Amino acid sequence: MTDAVVIGAGHNGLVCATLLAQAGMQVVCVEQADQPGGLARRRVLGDCQVPMAHAAFPPGPELVRELRLDAVGFQPGPTLDTIALGREGQHLTFSGDEVSGAALKDSDREAYRQFRQAYARFGAALRPLLLSPPPRLKNLPGADLKALVRLAWRLRFGLGREQLGEFLRVVGANMRDVLEDHFENPQLRGALAADAVRGHSAGPYAPGTVWTWLLRVIDSLDGPLSALAADELIRCLPKAAENAGVDLRLASPVANIAVADNQARGITLADGSTIEADHVVSSADPITTLSRLVGAPQLDAMFAHRVAQIRSAGAVARVHLVLSEAPTFTGLSDANLDHRLVFAPSVRALERAYNPIKYGAFSDEPALEIVFPTRHQPELAPAGQTVLSANVMYVPYRLKGGWTDARRGELLDRVLKLLDSLAPGLSQSVLSSECLTPADIESIYGVTGGHWHQGEVSLHQSLMLRPVYGAAQYATPVAGLYLCGAGCHPGGGVTGWPGRNAARQLLKRRGAA
Amino acid sequence: MNIAPDHFVQPLNRSPFINRFEALSRTENWATWNSYKVARVVDEIANEYFAVRSACAVMDLTPMEKYRISGPDARAFLDRLVVRDLSKLRTGRVTYVAWCNDEGHVIDDGTLFQLGENDYRLCSQHHQLDWLHISAQGFDVAIEHETHQVAALAVQGPTSFSVLRDAGAAELDELKPFGFVKSRIAGQPVLISRTGYTGDLGYELWLDPAAADAVWDAVFAQTPHYAVSAMGLDALEMVRLEAGFVMPGFDFVAADVAIRSNRARTPTEAGLGWLVSFDKGHFTGRAALLAEKSETPRRRLVKLTVEGNRPVCDSFIHARRGGPRVGEIRAATWSPMLKTNVALAEINLVRGDLPANLWARVDYQRELAWHSIWARCHPQIKAAVTPAHRSLTPPQRY
């Protein structure tokens, strides 16, 4: 009998397990794969390796401090600038609060600076909201009321009357409207819109895309985007967990969560062995945890229904290419390949890339986010080879007619064709390749729908509605069963907040009991 | 685009028995029940009432929602659905069940028939297909809506046994309350259950709609001595209140249609607490109902008899004559058998107990002038009318 068993050694599972162990609990963390890291763990491709989270923001200082990450040598690594690719080689470069490019007007340059600063202020006002469980509105208990009052105070007096007005105007809006308010340059708009919807199954015209942009802005407050942040984090977290006394067991897939008399009693592994525990904390997505590992029959019907209805169909495919030589993108220098390349030439082009997914098809001209991991970690590939890692939007989880090797090849061909138009001759240098559809990501990483964020971070799946009403405080209706993955508030990305919030909530309840 | 001028008209479903009702109707007093046309009063409400209590009354039950539930997980599905322990239910038996939402509020009640191994029929007053499907997630179960495929007829009253026996249903002698048998009437296969909503001896007949006329005619062809007559909803309301049966959606707001969060009711509040079993494993609403157990009950649906002869519908209940308001009448009727008002009232409890000394303020009209009187209310534990003949096996012959 152990105090807690944590399911999944992704970053959130490890954060949660470490914090629980630091608080004196006896913690076992089980992971299905033979490596920790969850969705961020490296993918092996022949004699190359590719980090799945190829660009991430560094963890917040609270996490670094609490998890004692410095003690295990955590370094966020070199910063990634963002280069927005144009069809004819006219590129824009984003670095910090500055954007530059030949075709860019001074007015857009200045507008970008102001836009960044305004959203950084909104983000700073909202950030504390992400570091605690979402407030409950029903009956409004004292602590939640206080949190809401504090948030209202920060928004009203931190932002000031005028900024608050702007914040309230945009918070539920769509990214396209907001970008059109601020900028003229379509390429500038397109690149920002693409980051606002990254990982989501939403086009830039969809309401709620400013909210997902804000969440990204809040992440960025802890440091600039880095190629190594996620890879480093999942290298360091198991050490931190070990230091805290977590019993990490790899290659231990979970078959089910044992529930008796509405109380979680432990887990059964696929090999039939059991681990009894007072608490079960799952970093698996809510559908996997509740519908599959617990099972609807153990839950109330409407709650089980709500869980099953969570929008969690992923929309991003991953293409990995091993290239015999560094590619030459029209208009870019070789040094530019150290950075993140984004192809979304306009908001309209992005929305057009989104449209087919509604009908179960993928885009003719997808939006891309490209990183070359070997530029920062040459050891990932044999000498001289370059690994290209591209997130491809939008690709449906449920392809009409179903995913086959032929359809996967068709998608890869479209991506190669697009890459060739941006970097002529790139496809000639491909030594090996792989194309992971959302369905593949689901089967490899065990995340429902292959969704990066364990479910859309739409407004109706945010805050006290994430993952669903009845489980938004990390505790589920099953006593002793907690959720701690990205499916919970505040959502996806490599933030660690869900894991941290869940651990704190569990410890608070345990202390109260 | 051509839109028919009467496109908004919702045609009423016609039950296979409706021709017979229309032929007998002297009042043309019709109601709609689950989109079916049903009689409110066929002839004279007093005659229909006394037919149930002293002869035999026949009512159309076809509009009752019927669901066929089958498959390997059918029993597990039902166990998770309803609040009642089903371990005693077996083939050939019927049980009364209620089901709740996650918050432990009653959605509906009904009768559950075990037709065979992994084969059940659930009957309820209100449409439940969506809730059954929502509840079916994770179970290997098939749910078929068979309301329109199964005709149903209630044959109720002291002579009902003799009527059906003479009509050919020989298997009824040994049929106990809440049992059913497969039988034949007028050569037609009929499933007969000893169930009803009247509190009297009675049966419910379940049959192919094509057999409806033949079965109806056979029931009405028996000796006039049995005094078979058709009955409508109004007389049913009288007898069900005498029998103390609650009706979700009328005596309290059904949870699935409640808009205001304080309107839905738990089984205990609805007087159905005796149905709930916490020992049978998980069911929807269990956690909420367990939590309710540790709280002081706030209100309860109470059976009352009310003194005086004024109709007490829509009255407020007060603690003491002229005292503070503590409840409301939900349904009431004059009981011709008992010569008193019987009612169901929702009453706020004081520290978990019913206030003593309850009075109804009865407002009534006499030649358009309003009058107000106070009538003493007497809470009842048992149903007002419980005739001894209703549970005899074999039933009494006439």
Side-chain angles (χ1 to χ4, degrees), chain A residues 171-191:
Chain A
V171 66
N174 69 76
M175 200 57 185
R176 174 249 193 174
D177 282 356
V178 168
L179 292 171
E180 287 197 349
D181 286 347
H182 289 85
F183 307 111
E184 277 182 59
N185 186 301
Q187 207 176 326
L188 172 57
R189 290 182 193 163

Side-chain angles (χ1 to χ4, degrees), chain A residues 156-178:
Chain A
R156 173 64 185 82
F157 298 104
L159 293 177
R161 192 185 166 83
E162 204 172 301
Q163 289 283 326
L164 175 62
E166 173 66 5
F167 172 77
L168 293 175
R169 184 179 77 87
V170 301
V171 66
N174 69 76
M175 200 57 185
R176 174 249 193 174
D177 282 356
V178 168

Side-chain angles (χ1 to χ4, degrees), chain A residues 174-176 190-210 212-213 216 315-316 344 350-351 354 367 393-394 451-453 456:
Chain A
N174 69 76
M175 200 57 185
R176 174 249 193 174
L192 294 176
D195 273 347
V197 296
R198 195 154 305 287
H200 300 282
S201 183
Y205 286 42
T209 43
V210 172
T212 51
W213 168 252
R216 194 176 167 90
V316 186
L350 187 63
E351 182 73 13
Y354 168 71
M393 290 195 308
Y394 296 87
H451 200 293
W452 284 14
H453 305 302
E456 285 289 302

